[in-house]
Amino acid sequence: MTSYVSRKFLSMLIWLGVMMLSAGGAAAQLTIDITKGNLEPLPIAVPDFLAEDARVAEIGAQVAQIVRADLERSGLFNPLDPASFIETQTNIDYEPNFSEWRVIKAEALVSGRIIRESDTRLRVEFRLWDIFGEKQLAGLRFATTPDNIRRISHKAADAIYEALTGETGYFDSRIVFIDEKGPKTNRKKRLTIMDQDGANPQYLLTGSDIVLTPRFSPNSQKITFMSYENTVPQIYLLDIETGRRELLGNFPGMTFAPRFAPDGRSFLLSMVQRGNSDIYLMDLESRSTSRLTSDPAIDVSASFSPDGKNIVFNSDRGGSPQLYTMKSDGSGVKRITFGTGRYSAPVWSPRGDLIAFTKSEGGTFSIGVIKPDGSGERQLTNGFLVEGPTWSPNGRVILFSKESRGRNGSSEVWSVDLTGRNLRKVNTPGKASDPAWSPLLP
Amino acid sequence: MTLRAILTFSVAAVLVSACATKPEPIQETTPVATVQPEVFEAAPPPPPPTVAAQPQRPAFVPPTPGSLQDFVYQSGGDARVYFGYDQNALTNEARDVLRRQANWLNNYSNVTAVIEGNADERGTREYNLALAARRANSVKAFLVSQGVAPSRLTTVSYGKERPIEGGSDEFSWSRNRNGHTNVNIQNTIG
């Protein structure tokens, strides 16, 4: 578990912003337009970070490897093979030999070094160079302890991503999901968390009760989920740091589909009464609830817009499951999907511009996005059973569950970016479902 | 509280490094310490191959009256009723089964039951929880209409979490869309 002290230290990490060099600003800047669909990944060279001795050199190699892996997984970068590098820099305070990096077709170069200040303190520094523009795009220094090197590496990758795309990165983040074991007819499910790249997986609960649909609080420190540990399945709140777990509310019927409000002070849930599911809003401090829907149809899977003003949810009040929006007080209900398929599991993007959803039509499931006004529906990926999208902190990548057909079917977590490109299996320790992506870590 | 601590920023000095070509300075940051994870337990060895359970056959000798076996027998051999895709309406066949169940429950009026609602895999997790809750309620409402006291019946929805068939085919899906009357019998005889 994360200790409070370490988190506090981490929290004091300073970002003065990535320093942009361009003096005039008019010159062509090395940038990646991540909204384009058929993009060539940007060739980038990330040599092992320089070090004074062999022990630190190991860390320098690890940092570069983590940065390369993050950038590569985004699909926007093509980290070049270090074996192809011509120049070997010995001091990152000097300009690189741009022409030698141009020979191997690198368009950007990350040159970094690790300095051991004491047994417990390292300095990680790097400069990001535009090879064709022959200028520095960013220069950053982090102070850290050796065992926190993975997070610093992710922060470095985020800074590079931001300098080259103009968008906030998402590498210093975590994923909570359900670890699955056993056949379909006897699945064991455990609440699990790991770094965004699959490192540091850890179980969060010890019990054997079914747990489902975990979701992060806006500060990434708490997780709400549904569990069958009581006779009536209910939703719970878990503090990741302290391990403290509490039942959220004492409802007469099953509660499920929890999701935090953007301010973290309240959350949405669905409750079943006499077989019918409706959506409620609960204040976390006062524990008072207000009912937002009262339709005899299924109303479930509510998700707030990032400004907290609107809610998207799933209802079959029109005869089949479709997506609806309403104001945060439950008024102004509007249907936004009218296709022939069955829509469910909507999640509002952290950018606010899109809603991701699951659709099933003609025996196939797909993950898609749609604008909050119901226009611009797009399919990103499909499969026998794909469901439950969750957004990256910057709203550019979506994770989802993918279950394969049949008795030996297995569940996996996959990712796809907003353009529908870069479909990848996420590196979970075993079978996995119900992923939820954290915001960027504090 | 922790969040507030996190928002505590402090000012850092910008370090200007001198060098021949004068690259932009590197920005100073304050220390970052460890995030120490719990050790993830090693994956256990693969489970032994499972042997498919033999289908339960009605006994040649009628089961002991009042036993769980008797309930299943009197229900017609299955304590479950089955639903159409995305449906929670009871079929005529389901009503016949539930009439027999109600009859049994009315004969053994001290027995309580949990009605479990289930859905097939072809729906999203939360929607299926809501759908299976409706199914459990359909079963309960019908049993109540046949004279079973509502206080004896509770419901629980398992969504698509408790399939009885592992296949991804029409047969398996039709079996997995069910309402299961799970009677609580303390002492079954024989």
Side-chain angles (χ1 to χ4, degrees):
Chain A
M1 283 284 150
T2 309
S3 79
Y4 172 73
V5 173
S6 68
R7 203 170 265 275
K8 193 170 175 189
F9 267 64
L10 182 65
S11 71
M12 292 182 349
L13 182 133
I14 303 296
W15 283 96
L16 292 178
V18 177
M19 184 157 288
M20 309 301 288
L21 182 67
S22 65
Q29 177 94 32
L30 179 62
T31 55
I32 298 178
D33 182 352
I34 63 180
T35 61
K36 292 255 171 69
N38 53 347
L39 191 75
E40 274 297 302
L42 182 104
I44 186 167
V46 187
D48 291 352
F49 281 30
L50 302 178
E52 292 154 325
D53 60 63
R55 274 169 69 207
V56 184
E58 210 170 280
I59 299 171
Q62 188 194 4
V63 170
Q65 187 273 325
I66 293 167
V67 169
R68 284 194 293 262
D70 278 348
L71 295 176
E72 195 276 331
R73 252 190 345 273
S74 76
L76 301 174
F77 299 89
N78 170 25
L80 300 171
D81 181 0
S84 69
F85 299 167
I86 301 167
E87 184 184 33
T88 305
Q89 281 188 291
T90 53
N91 185 342
I92 69 161
D93 289 335
Y94 291 89
E95 272 193 357
N97 185 336
F98 293 109
S99 60
E100 293 193 345
W101 293 102
R102 279 196 289 268
V103 168
I104 65 161
K105 305 222 171 359
E107 292 183 29
L109 167 69
V110 177
S111 48
R113 79 176 149 219
I114 314 278
I115 294 162
R116 183 196 294 278
E117 297 189 320
S118 72
D119 277 353
T120 57
R121 195 174 144 94
L122 295 172
R123 230 163 65 214
V124 178
E125 304 173 342
F126 73 91
R127 298 176 190 280
L128 172 65
W129 296 95
D130 175 350
I131 297 299
F132 287 84
E134 301 200 351
K135 60 192 176 187
Q136 180 179 316
L137 299 176
L140 284 173
R141 165 179 300 161
F142 306 88
T144 185
T145 53
D147 45 9
N148 198 39
I149 205 70
R150 295 198 70 92
R151 281 203 60 191
I152 292 304
S153 307
H154 292 311
K155 284 184 177 295
D158 278 332
I160 294 161
Y161 181 99
E162 181 164 353
L164 291 172
T165 66
E167 305 247 349
T168 314
Y170 57 86
F171 303 120
D172 185 29
S173 59
R174 298 208 273 184
I175 297 167
V176 63
F177 60 97
I178 302 299
D179 175 77
E180 300 198 352
K181 288 187 173 62
K184 276 188 183 173
T185 48
N186 188 20
R187 282 262 164 104
K188 300 282 178 264
K189 300 200 165 199
R190 293 191 69 179
L191 187 63
T192 311
I193 194 168
M194 66 181 193
D195 295 351
Q196 148 282 137
D197 62 350
N200 299 319
Q202 51 185 300
Y203 291 130
L204 291 172
L205 296 175
T206 48
S208 59
D209 307 292
I210 301 174
V211 284
L212 302 172
T213 63
R215 276 96 195 228
F216 278 100
S217 66
N219 68 5
S220 305
Q221 295 190 3
K222 289 181 177 173
I223 289 166
T224 178
F225 60 98
M226 180 202 189
S227 167
Y228 279 75
E229 70 175 72
N230 283 337
T231 329
V232 180
Q234 304 269 257
I235 55 178
Y236 293 79
L237 186 65
L238 174 72
D239 188 305
I240 302 173
E241 271 184 59
T242 63
R244 184 168 168 265
R245 181 177 41 138
E246 60 178 311
L247 179 64
L248 277 177
N250 190 12
F251 296 96
M254 174 174 84
T255 52
F256 61 116
R259 214 177 266 282
F260 278 95
D263 65 6
R265 292 198 193 126
S266 58
F267 66 99
L268 294 162
L269 64 117
S270 294
M271 177 170 56
V272 173
Q273 278 191 299
R274 287 180 297 282
N276 184 43
S277 303
D278 275 304
I279 294 165
Y280 293 75
L281 181 69
M282 184 188 221
D283 184 277
L284 266 174
E285 202 166 320
S286 69
R287 298 293 159 105
S288 62
T289 51
S290 51
R291 184 172 180 164
L292 300 183
T293 65
S294 49
D295 197 277
I298 287 174
D299 294 313
V300 74
S301 301
S303 166
F304 265 110
S305 62
D307 63 8
K309 289 180 179 160
N310 295 289
I311 292 167
V312 63
F313 65 101
N314 187 202
S315 178
D316 72 344
R317 59 183 69 188
S320 69
Q322 300 288 335
L323 306 186
Y324 293 76
T325 57
M326 61 185 172
K327 298 208 176 91
S328 59
D329 63 358
S331 68
V333 173
K334 214 176 88 183
R335 180 170 167 177
I336 64 165
T337 54
F338 295 91
T340 50
R342 303 153 52 78
Y343 296 77
S344 55
V347 196
W348 217 301
S349 154
R351 302 161 67 91
D353 56 346
L354 292 169
I355 290 161
F357 57 82
T358 306
K359 181 179 182 178
S360 75
E361 189 171 21
T364 299
F365 279 76
S366 59
I367 303 290
V369 291
I370 192 168
K371 289 183 185 158
D373 66 1
S375 68
E377 179 182 337
R378 269 192 303 131
Q379 179 182 305
L380 302 181
T381 184
N382 63 36
F384 162 65
L385 180 46
V386 291
E387 66 164 307
T390 178
W391 292 91
S392 64
N394 68 353
R396 286 292 171 192
V397 184
I398 286 172
L399 299 179
F400 57 95
S401 297
K402 182 173 183 167
E403 177 92 28
S404 49
R405 189 181 271 276
R407 233 162 283 278
N408 300 316
S410 122
S411 52
E412 298 170 341
V413 174
W414 283 65
S415 73
V416 65
D417 74 24
L418 256 190
T419 62
R421 293 170 60 254
N422 200 31
L423 190 65
R424 285 167 192 248
K425 183 182 176 300
V426 172
N427 181 25
T428 52
K431 293 179 190 171
S433 63
D434 288 6
W437 210 323
S438 78
L440 273 182
L441 297 181
Chain B
M1 274 176 291
T2 332
L3 181 59
R4 299 229 169 83
I6 283 155
L7 295 173
T8 313
F9 283 74
S10 60
V11 182
V14 176
L15 183 140
V16 182
S17 61
C19 66
T21 52
K22 292 190 182 171
E24 279 299 308
I26 280 176
Q27 294 160 18
E28 179 69 53
T29 62
T30 45
V32 175
T34 319
V35 180
Q36 185 59 47
E38 263 188 356
V39 177
F40 195 76
E41 75 184 43
T50 51
V51 180
Q54 292 300 312
Q56 196 174 353
R57 290 171 184 283
F60 286 102
V61 183
T64 312
S67 66
L68 174 62
Q69 292 82 352
D70 185 47
F71 174 75
V72 173
Y73 180 68
Q74 299 292 341
S75 298
D78 193 345
R80 296 174 196 257
V81 294
Y82 300 92
F83 294 87
Y85 176 61
D86 200 18
Q87 296 297 312
N88 63 294
L90 297 167
T91 62
N92 288 335
E93 196 185 345
R95 284 162 195 267
D96 287 344
V97 171
L98 293 177
R99 277 190 200 100
R100 291 195 288 270
Q101 289 187 359
N103 198 29
W104 189 95
L105 287 163
N106 287 334
N107 286 338
Y108 299 96
S109 57
N110 58 333
V111 175
T112 60
V114 179
I115 315 293
E116 301 164 350
N118 292 289
D120 70 29
E121 64 187 347
R122 294 171 307 159
T124 52
R125 201 169 312 283
E126 290 174 349
Y127 182 82
N128 276 5
L129 284 168
L131 175 62
R134 267 186 179 170
R135 286 176 178 159
N137 195 63
S138 294
V139 170
K140 177 178 174 176
F142 190 85
L143 291 174
V144 168
S145 77
Q146 300 299 304
V148 182
S151 59
R152 294 168 61 199
L153 304 173
T154 54
T155 57
V156 62
S157 168
Y158 282 107
K160 57 176 173 177
E161 304 307 314
R162 289 260 180 107
I164 52 176
E165 299 288 341
S168 298
D169 48 65
E170 290 299 337
F171 168 75
S172 298
W173 291 328
S174 69
R175 295 260 303 148
N176 291 338
R177 298 188 295 264
N178 64 69
H180 179 203
T181 306
N182 195 357
V183 289
N184 300 310
I185 294 170
Q186 299 299 321
N187 302 306
T188 45
I189 308 158

